[in-house]
Amino acid sequence: MINKTKFALVDCNNFYASCERVFEPKLEGRPIIVLSNNDGCIIARSNEAKALGVKMGVPYFKVRDMIIKNGIVVKSSNYPLYGDMSSRVMKIIGQYSPIQEVYSIDESFIDLVGLPFHLINHMQSLRQNVKSWTGVPVCVGMGSTKVLAKLANRIAKKYTRFNGVFDIDELPYERYCKLLQSVEVGDLWGIGRQSAKKLNRIGIISSNDFYQADIGVIETLLGVNGKKVYQELYGNSCIPIEAIPPTRQQIVSSRSFGSDLNDFHELNQALTNLTRKAVYKLNNHKLATTTITVFIYTNPHKKNKACVHLSKTIGMTTAIKDESQIIPLISKILRLIYKPGHSFYKGGIVLSNLVKNYPQQDLFLTNEDNQRNIDSSNKSNAIRLVNKRFNESLKYASEIGNDKWRPRADFKSKRYTTSWTELLVI
Amino acid sequence: MNIHNHGGARKGAGRKKNSGNFKEQTKVIRVPISLVDSITPSIEVYKSQVKSGIEVLRVNEDPVKQLIPIFTSRVQAGFPSPADDHLEDTLDLNTHLIHHKEATFFVKAQGESMIGAGIHQGDILIVDKSLSPKSGKIVIAVVDGEFTVKRLHKYKGNITLKAENSEFEDIKIKGTDELIIWGVVTSVIHQYD
């Protein structure tokens, strides 16, 4: 059968756990869990950990005894490592199709239409190449739409007999319906939790119920996006591949602190660090910001204490992109919203109304001002380079302090691929 | 009420949107006379850049990341340098040492077992995971879950990981051992203190 459209979804198997195993091969076959920032919740599990009944999203402290009893290996999240491994994997996947959409840190859609290859073999070769080049195992699902490719990927992962590659378009009608019967409607790509609830209320539980339902009903209930998913199940491609990621609308950098913060300087220290991270992203995307938000709040889960949420947003006439301009602003805003006597447990900043970073300077600045801007941008470049080379050794004064805010990462592996001082030692 | 069907806006009339000098919307602003002379030139420069279709680049984008050309010559007033026609590409160690970027990892050597192969304590090894481990290559191997760097020997189905230091024993792989070749060492970087 010749399809008008054909997509593959390449998804890494238990990506975070797999990355840890590449640099610690003795973890092969052992149950692993990875914790969120600040060692809060379980955000990734190896197959062995899943088999032991460890649930996703559960706070670590609630299941600690069970984890220890079962000898499960615990890792703090190591995003520098996962990010680097992800970019390697994505680049290799990109060699297998001219059109690629990097969908998340561990998933990528590729367009397979018109490729002069036997597709199953082509995808098997992709799979083997990613594994041997990076050590990360992946599975491939194929279908004539993105929803179908995503569904096919589940099958490729679930049944070992497909050897990691499955083409859902090959399935006869009855088997296809049976497969849909076994997948809850909320597990379809594009059907969120709220949509699933609405569907369940009218008796649509499985994906097959959804597939057999009337298109008018679906559209009334879920709107155009639900209709798209419905049509994609019928093989009509409605969701195109997004090869060029949409321009970022905003950059958020926030974090729950290692311990509650009361003091202004402690908060300022944390926010300075978060700001540097946000500005780093801003510069990477060659963007500048015109609106800045700072927010801090107290723990909403504490009994007998109302949650205090403080925030302020300011706008600027000129877009700025330089940390030496943004960091002092953040401190100023924090000074405006800060109230003593509270224990703040989380805080962050948002850079929004992002614009392309044009060289144009504010026309009303004098030459001297312009020169100062160029100088400060050179200074920031220099700081960035020094920090890259020497392991974050230069800091803004406002970032230096007691480090009380620093998140817990008691089980963190090394940054094997992004830091000269943390290479794998053999 | 009178209904006129003449006059008023006509579709398609007037200047096309974004067809002006700047290819985007413009705005009238009030400028202090003392600043006119310093503002006009930058607008004119921008105008000519837009007109010529030149992408407007930021000056000094990344001043530190300048590669050094192989040929340099002093500028002699009036005479072009004879070497200018022969200006070649710059040398980049990355392209020389790394052939499969996505599959290349750096690791640090520990111990003296490969001193004969020029691998010293603390050296950085460049490891390519994409290469197939042929006999005689220096490899990063995983034996029963532990990393080691040795020279791989395959002979008649027997696999030995050979040390290059007589004080160290070779590792003969037995049937029950689990051996994974993690990658092939392609270079060693030894830095003098």
Side-chain angles (χ1 to χ4, degrees), chain A residues 21-26 28 84-85 87-89 91-92 95 131-135 286 321 357-360 363-367 374 377-378 381-382 385 416-417 420-421 423-426, chain B residues 29-32 35 38-39 42-43 46 56-64 100-111 124 129-130 140 142 144-149 178 180 182:
Chain A
R21 278 179 177 151
V22 172
F23 299 91
E24 245 178 288
K26 62 169 178 280
E28 202 63 52
D84 177 70
M85 293 302 282
S87 87
R88 290 165 186 259
V89 169
K91 274 182 200 147
I92 298 168
Q95 291 166 5
K131 172 76 180 157
S132 79
W133 284 42
T134 66
K286 298 211 184 319
K321 55 164 176 46
N357 170 20
Y358 283 122
Q360 248 60 14
L363 285 174
F364 296 102
L365 295 182
T366 60
N367 282 343
I374 291 173
S377 134
N378 284 348
N381 272 337
L385 284 163
Y416 298 109
T417 60
W420 285 113
T421 55
L423 295 180
L424 180 66
V425 176
I426 292 178
Chain B
I29 54 167
R30 227 171 247 287
V31 172
L35 283 180
S38 55
I39 290 168
S42 65
I43 295 178
Y46 184 66
V56 187
L57 289 173
R58 201 168 96 226
V59 189
N60 245 332
E61 177 103 291
D62 201 347
V64 186
H100 308 101
K101 194 167 165 265
E102 292 78 29
T104 300
F105 295 85
F106 300 141
V107 306
K108 202 168 216 162
Q110 193 181 36
I124 289 171
K129 271 176 79 68
S130 72
I140 305 294
V142 181
D144 289 329
E146 297 297 332
F147 279 114
T148 180
V149 53
E178 201 181 308
I180 299 161
W182 195 85

Side-chain angles (χ1 to χ4, degrees), chain A residues 7 146-147 189 225 228-229 232 236-242:
Chain A
F7 300 94
K146 283 167 90 176
V147 168
W189 188 58
N225 285 328
K228 278 183 183 169
V229 176
E232 289 236 327
N236 303 320
S237 178
C238 307
I239 308 168
I241 223 160
E242 283 176 30

Side-chain angles (χ1 to χ4, degrees), chain B:
Chain B
M1 196 165 100
N2 290 329
I3 298 170
H4 299 283
N5 42 12
H6 52 84
R10 277 165 297 135
K11 248 190 174 174
R15 190 187 274 189
K16 298 282 175 295
K17 226 179 183 178
N18 301 340
S19 66
N21 282 325
F22 297 103
K23 306 263 194 287
E24 63 181 285
Q25 277 192 325
T26 54
K27 188 183 168 190
V28 180
I29 54 167
R30 227 171 247 287
V31 172
I33 294 215
S34 62
L35 283 180
V36 168
D37 284 345
S38 55
I39 290 168
T40 325
S42 65
I43 295 178
E44 287 304 319
V45 168
Y46 184 66
K47 201 191 278 180
S48 68
Q49 282 169 333
V50 172
K51 200 176 164 193
S52 60
I54 295 171
E55 200 189 343
V56 187
L57 289 173
R58 201 168 96 226
V59 189
N60 245 332
E61 177 103 291
D62 201 347
V64 186
K65 225 185 189 168
Q66 301 269 344
L67 291 170
I68 305 140
I70 314 165
F71 286 102
T72 53
S73 60
R74 271 189 313 168
V75 180
Q76 296 177 337
F79 295 98
S81 156
D84 281 352
D85 289 342
H86 305 273
L87 205 67
E88 290 185 9
D89 227 346
T90 54
L91 290 179
D92 181 357
L93 265 180
N94 286 319
T95 57
H96 183 62
L97 298 176
I98 297 172
H99 301 291
H100 308 101
K101 194 167 165 265
E102 292 78 29
T104 300
F105 295 85
F106 300 141
V107 306
K108 202 168 216 162
Q110 193 181 36
E112 308 278 318
S113 73
M114 291 300 284
I115 203 113
I119 298 175
H120 299 74
Q121 166 88 22
D123 284 358
I124 289 171
L125 309 179
I126 300 181
V127 182
D128 191 334
K129 271 176 79 68
S130 72
L131 300 176
S132 62
K134 293 195 184 105
S135 188
K137 293 275 181 199
I138 294 173
V139 297
I140 305 294
V142 181
V143 184
D144 289 329
E146 297 297 332
F147 279 114
T148 180
V149 53
K150 293 284 177 297
R151 197 181 287 278
L152 177 72
H153 266 265
K154 292 196 254 189
Y155 183 70
K156 287 188 179 169
N158 293 320
I159 296 176
T160 311
L161 297 171
K162 281 184 164 298
E164 303 240 334
N165 182 338
S166 53
E167 288 173 31
F168 288 80
E169 298 215 353
D170 297 344
I171 303 171
K172 287 205 172 67
I173 303 298
K174 296 185 286 284
T176 52
D177 294 340
E178 201 181 308
L179 170 75
I180 299 161
I181 303 299
W182 195 85
V184 174
V185 179
T186 57
S187 307
V188 50
I189 300 173
H190 180 79
Q191 280 177 299
Y192 301 104
D193 306 322

